[in-house]
Structure formats: C-alpha cells, structure tokens
Amino acid sequence: MAKIIPFQGLRPTADKVSLVTSRSYEDYTAAELAYLLEYNPFSFLHVINPAYVNQQKVTADKRFKMVSNKLNDFKKEGVFVKEEFPSFYIYQIEKKNSLFTGILAGTAIEDYQKNIIKKHEDTLEYRVNVFKEYLHFSRFNPEPVLMMYPDQEDINNWINIQKQSDPIYNFSTVTKERHTIWQVQNEIDLQWVKNKFESINELYIADGHHRSASAEMLHNEGDQVENNHLKYFMSYLISESNIKIYEYNRIIHDLNNHTKEEFLEKIQEKFILENKEQQLWKPTKKMEFGMYLDGDFYSLRLKEQLDSTDLLDHLDAQILYNEILNPILGLDDLRNDARIDYVPGNESIVSIKEMVDDGEYEVGFMLYPTNVAEIKALADNNLIMPPKSTYIEPKFMNGLIIYEI
C-alpha cells in the first residue's frame, strides 16, 4: 500500500517565480546559459551552477556545498520562502497539445525497497553515487520523480475540486508552457489523499530512476533517524493515462566497416525492407522500424514472428538491438558506447535526417513508442528496459517546489 506525505516546500515568491524557475541545465545552449547567468540574477541556474574559478580544481563535495550555499543566499535575500505547514501541491503543466495534472508529494523509500514503487529502467552506479553526494552536501532536491498510479476517478474529482481555489502560481515560460500550482493544506484533504493512496497497491516510476535510487542510498547511510525527510523523496504522482510516452530514436556514427550494400543485405536477412526514398516515414505500429541512410528513408518489418515468450524480447528497442545494433553494427554497451546517440521522439525526424546528411552520423533508426501496459508488465516481472527506451512527459521546471532534507 503506497504511503505518501505532505511536506513543507521551499519555493520562490510569487512575484519572482517566472524569473527563478529554469529548465534542466543541459537543455540550454552555451549562449543561452551565458545570457541568463549574466542578466537574470534570480535564475535558479545560479544555484545549480554556482560561479567559481579554476573549475577543474574544485572537488565534487566543494561544488555541491557551494550549491547549498547559493540556495541559502537566495533564502536570505527573500527569493525563496519555506512553507509554514506541510502541503500537497496540485501541479498542472499546459503545453500546446497536452495538459498534465498531478500531485507533488513525498513518497516512501520503504515502498521503493519493498517494490510497491516499481522500476523498469536500469541505473548507472556512478550517476547514482554522484547524485547521492549531491543530496548529501546540498540537502535539497529541486526535481521530483515522475510516478504513475492507476487511474482513479475519485482522485481526479478531488483534484478538480482543489483547482477551483486560487492558485499560488500561474505563469507562462518562454517555451510557451503554462505552469499552475494549487496548494493543499487543509487537514481533512491531506488525510483523504493519504488514505486514498494507501489503497493503491503499486506505483510505477515513469522517469527519475537515478533520483530515487540516490535517495535510497542516502537513506541507507544511517542518518534517517534524525531526519524524517530522508525516509521520503519528492514525487509527482500522475494517473497513468495522463502521461505521454515518446520513443527514443537512435543515430549511429558508422556502419561497423560495412559498405551500404553489405549493410542493407544483412538487414534483409531478417527484415522486409522498403525504400521510401524522400518520404519522411516513421513507424505506425509495433515491430515496425524506420531507417534513414544515405539520403533515403526505409521501412523495416520483421519477416517472421518472434518465437520468444520473454516480454523483453518483444520490446521494439530490444528487437532493434537483437537484430541490427548488436549483430550487424557491433554495438554492445548501449549506455556507454560513443558510436551511438539518441534523439527523443518529440523532436521531428527531420532532425535525424539533418544529422545524417551533415556526415557526423551514417544511419538513423526510428522506433514506435512503448506504451504504459508494456512498462508496467516489465516492471511487474522485474525486467529492465534497454537504455533510452522511453522519453516521457511531463518534464518539470527546476526551482519551482524544492524538497529539503
């Protein structure tokens, strides 16, 4: 049974929220970062990337302490204020063609350990360790784990009732998104939501496997008795029908010493290959694959049905790996091989065409998106998806609601 708690969020004042919040650091170009750091003194980018000299000589622990110190500066200056009472937050993200609404809450590390909170993605040990050290020295988490729960009509109705009150935030971003947050502090409502989630048997991590694993590692270091917040980590709880799953497409730098003709011949041993020429073609169903090579798009369909009963073998990303990426292109470790890169499916396939045409890459592959049922089935059977199998929305703004530990 899932256990969630309200928490005392640290958040920017309403008059500065649109100036403070930022996208993920990696989403900005160098020019954008330089501009924001130079001309916006309130940007949360100053916190997550504090200025220092001799960057190469600054150890990770010192850098993370500087992150904490910079946040403390923002608190002293009144940019951020601490909530007086524990709260749940209804968080709505509106994009051009999508509307996401969920609940920001603390989710229990005990549930993560008992597999009530289920995972479908592997983690890299070094990344978990780095983020654990970040949490240890900075003492805050600015970004929630995206967590799915089965659709619940009564929770939807409760959310709609809360949205009738005045929001604490309602602002737009330069990427044309609207972010709206309602605060819930009424004890009756807090208890109702907690009780409701206690009746839910499983939660599923959609995005944020490294953040949750890092929180567990910090919890296991032993100081959780002194700090109750270490027993939980911040999550965005959203009904499974409200997330949007995109594929992660693959682009590869070379053909593993094959000529174009040899490469196509090897593919045709397992796939029906159709040249779509200049048609911007992408898969329309499972077990179809798109490919862009030497100025042409291709469709690929398996010649024979899979005889494996393994759920993982029926995942499109795994099929592509088993039949092409590994045996033909010689790619083994998809997480660390520098010959492969990934393009999220919310970007146009024109971007794949352009990167191949520019000569940096030789071939690109387009996949059909995974669905919620596949993610849950894999998680229920303790199976792990291949790296970069899904790109899931919503994505969050940093510095909007901060969970202190």
Side-chain angles (χ1 to χ4, degrees):
M1 313 307 167
K3 185 177 182 180
I4 67 169
I5 59 165
F7 64 96
Q8 292 170 266
L10 179 71
R11 57 187 182 86
T13 57
D15 63 316
K16 297 182 180 68
V17 62
S18 62
L19 296 171
V20 170
T21 55
S22 69
R23 305 193 306 275
S24 172
Y25 189 82
E26 291 78 14
D27 286 351
Y28 295 95
T29 66
E32 288 174 324
L33 284 172
Y35 179 85
L36 288 168
L37 292 171
E38 176 70 22
Y39 295 106
N40 182 2
F42 299 113
S43 174
F44 196 69
L45 294 169
H46 289 287
V47 175
I48 58 180
N49 187 52
Y52 45 79
V53 295
N54 297 324
Q55 179 172 349
Q56 290 78 10
K57 296 182 180 180
V58 176
T59 60
D61 59 338
K62 290 182 178 179
R63 181 159 57 90
F64 296 152
K65 287 177 181 176
M66 293 172 73
V67 169
S68 177
N69 291 338
K70 189 62 180 178
L71 181 63
N72 285 332
D73 289 344
F74 271 36
K75 290 161 70 173
K76 291 174 184 176
E77 294 165 3
V79 178
F80 280 91
V81 292
K82 183 70 174 280
E83 212 72 76
E84 185 176 358
F85 301 104
S87 306
F88 289 128
Y89 302 89
I90 310 299
Y91 181 15
Q92 180 174 283
I93 303 169
E94 185 176 356
K95 302 180 67 172
K96 182 178 180 181
N97 298 312
S98 304
L99 182 67
F100 306 102
T101 308
I103 304 169
L104 282 170
T107 48
I109 288 175
E110 182 182 12
D111 288 349
Y112 180 86
Q113 294 169 329
K114 290 181 176 179
N115 209 33
I116 293 171
I117 294 174
K118 298 195 171 188
K119 315 95 181 168
H120 70 267
E121 185 177 293
D122 205 358
T123 56
L124 295 175
E125 185 177 359
Y126 83 90
R127 285 190 61 192
V128 173
N129 275 302
V130 167
F131 195 66
K132 185 268 294 183
E133 289 300 301
Y134 165 85
L135 291 174
H136 175 73
F137 288 107
S138 71
R139 310 309 292 182
F140 73 87
N141 185 359
E143 185 177 1
V145 172
L146 180 61
M147 195 90 67
M148 299 186 297
Y149 62 85
D151 287 14
Q152 305 281 325
E153 185 176 357
D154 47 359
I155 293 180
N156 290 340
N157 292 336
W158 178 84
I159 287 174
N160 288 331
I161 291 172
Q162 304 306 313
K163 287 167 60 176
Q164 294 175 15
S165 61
D166 292 331
I168 57 173
Y169 296 137
N170 185 9
F171 67 97
S172 296
T173 69
V174 294
T175 55
K176 298 182 179 179
E177 294 179 356
R178 178 168 289 277
H179 296 259
T180 311
I181 292 186
W182 295 264
Q183 185 178 43
V184 181
Q185 289 186 323
N186 179 282
E187 187 58 41
I188 294 175
D189 285 310
L190 297 181
Q191 192 60 51
W192 185 89
V193 176
K194 288 194 288 185
N195 291 343
K196 187 62 190 176
F197 274 89
E198 284 180 0
S199 70
I200 295 175
N201 292 326
E202 297 103 5
L203 301 174
Y204 293 83
I205 297 176
D207 190 25
H209 288 79
H210 286 89
R211 292 192 293 278
S212 50
S214 302
E216 183 202 19
M217 183 179 288
L218 185 64
H219 167 274
N220 290 342
E221 289 192 339
D223 56 346
Q224 67 269 22
V225 175
E226 289 76 22
N227 189 342
N228 187 56
H229 274 194
L230 281 172
K231 297 180 181 179
Y232 299 85
F233 56 92
M234 182 169 62
S235 293
Y236 182 73
L237 300 156
I238 188 169
S239 62
E240 60 188 37
S241 65
N242 194 203
I243 69 166
K244 197 161 188 175
I245 305 175
Y246 295 93
E247 71 282 8
Y248 251 119
N249 298 311
R250 280 88 163 108
I251 47 176
I252 295 91
H253 285 281
D254 60 73
L255 298 182
N256 196 27
N257 295 319
H258 297 301
T259 65
K260 173 186 173 182
E261 291 72 23
E262 290 170 342
F263 179 60
L264 293 176
E265 184 177 337
K266 287 182 176 294
I267 286 179
Q268 289 180 90
E269 293 175 6
K270 294 289 185 72
F271 293 87
I272 298 170
L273 190 67
E274 182 180 350
N275 191 339
K276 298 291 186 178
E277 298 179 345
Q278 297 302 302
Q279 179 185 347
L280 294 172
W281 192 87
K282 61 187 299 185
T284 58
K285 59 184 178 182
K286 276 186 61 61
M287 297 190 184
E288 273 188 347
F289 303 88
M291 183 175 72
Y292 183 71
L293 173 68
D294 193 26
D296 287 331
F297 285 89
Y298 296 83
S299 69
L300 285 69
R301 288 183 291 113
L302 278 171
K303 287 182 176 180
E304 299 178 1
Q305 288 189 342
L306 297 172
D307 57 6
S308 172
T309 59
D310 191 319
L311 289 171
L312 193 59
D313 286 340
H314 288 259
L315 195 68
D316 283 8
Q318 189 68 33
I319 294 171
L320 183 66
Y321 174 78
N322 289 343
E323 305 297 345
I324 297 178
L325 299 185
N326 180 247
I328 301 177
L329 291 175
L331 293 161
D332 183 26
D333 183 357
L334 297 185
R335 289 189 177 277
N336 301 304
D337 199 314
R339 295 172 55 221
I340 185 169
D341 286 307
Y342 301 89
V343 179
N346 63 340
E347 294 187 20
S348 170
I349 60 173
V350 173
S351 63
I352 295 175
K353 178 183 186 302
E354 291 173 345
M355 285 186 280
V356 173
D357 288 346
D358 286 345
E360 184 179 356
Y361 300 90
E362 285 287 333
V363 61
F365 291 97
M366 288 73 77
L367 289 79
Y368 189 71
T370 302
N371 58 48
V372 168
E374 288 178 301
I375 290 175
K376 292 175 66 176
L378 291 166
D380 289 341
N381 287 275
N382 297 313
L383 295 172
I384 300 300
M385 284 184 166
K388 300 290 187 180
S389 290
T390 57
Y391 179 88
I392 299 179
E393 290 185 343
K395 300 295 184 185
F396 306 104
M397 301 294 287
N398 276 325
L400 187 52
I401 301 288
I402 292 175
Y403 183 88
E404 291 189 296
I405 57 178

